[in-house]
Amino acid sequence: MRRLVFELSGEHDTLPKSEVIGCIEAYGWNYSVIGSYDQALIVDTDADVPILAHRLALTHHILELIFECKADREDIKREAENADIGLGAGETFVVRVKKVREYGDIDGAFERELGAVLWRRGYKVDLDRPDAEYRAILTEGVCIFGRLIASPDRSQYEERAPLKKPFFLPGVLMPRISRAIVNMSRIKNGYMLDPMSGTGGILVEAELISDDIHVVGCDIQKKMAYGTRWNLRHYGKNYDVVRQDSLGMAIKDDSIDAMVTDFPYGQSTPIKGVTPIMGASVEEFHKGALREMHRVLKSGHYAVIVYREPIEKLLKEAGFKVIETHEQYIHRSLTRHITLVRK
């Protein structure tokens, strides 16, 4: 077991932590959460770090913890004077300080002070190509100091921005959020379904995780089924796309390993056969779709449902156990509710 620090994105308060735990649980690795702070998570785990770095979208860096102390200049320097930093003879280092929001009064100039502590211990500084990078995260009154061991490639998600895809419609989930909620579904291998796939952005992110994941997209609209197939053909190879109604899918009972979908809102994306405003007919559509989703998902497996309003009551009525819900504010008229459930 290693004590890992996940330096998290500030894009959302709770989703990054949920994504980390989802990834770890997907592989059945042992773990215990040691500390949870604003934009930092400390976990004891036997997880494979390269796999985590490949999958995670809302994590900036993964560190191996060296020490944790009060976010006080003298306390931090005292710990750094005595800590085993694992640096060999002749190896070089650099120190970076990350202050989260406005916690404490330590500023970026503290990097030089902290680096000087290690320099006085006989280690050499190299700002350009160091053998080791050490990071001090200042958050909620604590300093978390660790050695950088991996950094997820977050730039790849910008390369897959919606406007850069072959098929595009406005209002879709951004790639980093799509990847995060796919990771929350605990998919490791097998079949992952999006029964209302739209442009296929969720499926693209799932398919790119591993060749062991086969994604399946369904949509009742010919245009959307075509768009899903177009985008998946551009990025992946392990996929099937079917034009069909999510209220009656030609999929066997208990055959799907994970499910993630962004429910149509009935505004820019129409819901066939129902009015574009929330009413009884829309609720009946939701109930029917959720019953179908529950039918095809394997027992004990997970689904993530995104909708513009709280939907926990309908999820429970469909037979799901609600694990957690996250809210993502988009603009004044749209707050997404991202709900993790288990069958």
Side-chain angles (χ1 to χ4, degrees):
M1 300 278 278
R2 305 167 76 181
R3 186 155 293 185
L4 301 181
V5 179
F6 296 86
E7 186 178 330
L8 305 173
S9 163
E11 295 164 80
H12 195 276
D13 291 338
T14 57
L15 278 175
K17 294 175 184 177
S18 187
E19 182 193 19
V20 171
I21 298 305
C23 274
I24 293 173
E25 290 190 354
Y27 294 87
W29 292 319
N30 297 307
Y31 76 96
S32 177
V33 175
I34 302 302
S36 181
Y37 304 98
D38 192 353
Q39 296 184 33
L41 182 68
I42 306 174
V43 180
D44 276 349
T45 181
D46 57 3
D48 186 310
V49 171
I51 291 178
L52 290 176
H54 168 67
R55 290 189 61 146
L56 292 170
L58 300 181
T59 293
H60 286 295
H61 304 290
I62 304 174
L63 319 176
E64 188 154 23
L65 182 68
I66 295 175
F67 66 80
E68 180 183 354
C69 67
K70 287 173 54 180
D72 174 82
R73 271 184 163 83
E74 297 308 314
D75 282 359
I76 297 169
K77 289 191 286 187
R78 191 178 306 113
E79 290 285 346
E81 286 173 354
N82 300 298
D84 179 3
I85 63 171
L87 203 60
E91 290 187 313
T92 59
F93 77 93
V94 68
V95 171
R96 301 298 183 199
V97 173
K98 166 66 181 296
K99 181 181 177 181
V100 176
R101 305 190 201 278
E102 298 301 321
Y103 294 112
D105 58 0
I106 296 176
D107 56 28
F110 184 62
E111 277 186 4
R112 186 171 296 179
E113 290 183 51
L114 190 52
V117 172
L118 301 184
W119 176 76
R120 286 194 292 269
R121 291 177 59 179
Y123 300 116
K124 296 181 179 180
V125 177
D126 187 335
L127 300 179
D128 298 319
R129 300 183 65 182
D131 295 306
E133 178 178 327
Y134 299 96
R135 299 186 63 81
I137 306 169
L138 306 171
T139 178
E140 296 194 61
V142 301
C143 172
I144 304 165
F145 185 86
R147 180 169 179 163
L148 178 68
I149 54 178
S151 297
D153 177 14
R154 284 169 49 88
S155 65
Q156 63 174 302
Y157 302 103
E158 301 304 324
E159 295 169 4
R160 295 195 295 274
L163 279 169
K164 296 181 180 180
K165 289 185 168 74
F167 180 77
F168 164 76
L169 285 177
V172 298
L173 295 172
M174 297 302 288
R176 281 199 295 267
I177 298 299
S178 293
R179 172 64 67 91
I181 63 177
V182 166
N183 284 328
M184 286 168 56
S185 76
R186 278 81 170 153
I187 183 70
K188 176 187 175 185
N189 51 41
Y191 288 91
M192 202 207 83
L193 170 69
D194 184 346
M196 290 163 272
S197 58
T199 64
I202 290 171
L203 298 175
V204 166
E205 293 306 319
E207 205 276 340
L208 289 173
I209 287 173
S210 170
D211 288 344
D212 295 327
I213 297 175
H214 189 107
V215 300
V216 180
C218 303
D219 207 289
I220 195 171
Q221 295 186 71
K222 182 178 180 180
K223 175 183 177 181
M224 294 301 191
Y226 174 80
T228 295
R229 185 177 291 108
W230 193 2
N231 282 339
L232 285 171
R233 184 184 298 123
H234 181 76
Y235 291 102
K237 57 185 178 181
N238 297 325
Y239 63 88
D240 287 297
V241 180
V242 183
R243 185 188 176 197
Q244 64 176 350
D245 192 344
S246 59
L247 299 179
M249 295 183 287
I251 298 175
K252 291 181 179 179
D253 295 359
D254 306 302
S255 61
I256 297 298
D257 295 281
M259 199 176 322
V260 181
T261 197
D262 184 10
F263 256 79
Y265 305 152
Q267 292 178 321
S268 60
T269 305
I271 301 173
K272 185 174 180 179
V274 300
T275 58
I277 57 174
M278 193 66 179
S281 57
V282 175
E283 183 169 319
E284 288 305 311
F285 165 75
H286 290 154
K287 288 180 177 179
L290 291 173
R291 283 195 298 267
E292 271 293 275
M293 292 167 66
H294 186 272
R295 177 184 67 81
V296 302
L297 186 65
K298 290 180 179 178
S299 180
H301 288 230
Y302 293 84
V304 181
I305 314 299
V306 182
Y307 192 54
R308 62 173 296 155
E309 296 179 1
I311 201 170
E312 290 94 332
K313 180 176 180 292
L314 295 180
L315 286 163
K316 291 176 182 177
E317 289 176 356
F320 290 108
K321 179 181 179 181
V322 174
I323 307 300
E324 61 194 31
T325 295
H326 309 264
E327 293 185 9
Q328 183 194 23
Y329 176 83
I330 305 301
H331 49 70
R332 188 172 65 178
S333 60
L334 176 60
T335 296
R336 290 192 179 109
H337 296 256
I338 301 168
T339 304
L340 173 68
V341 298
R342 185 174 66 237
K343 179 176 175 179

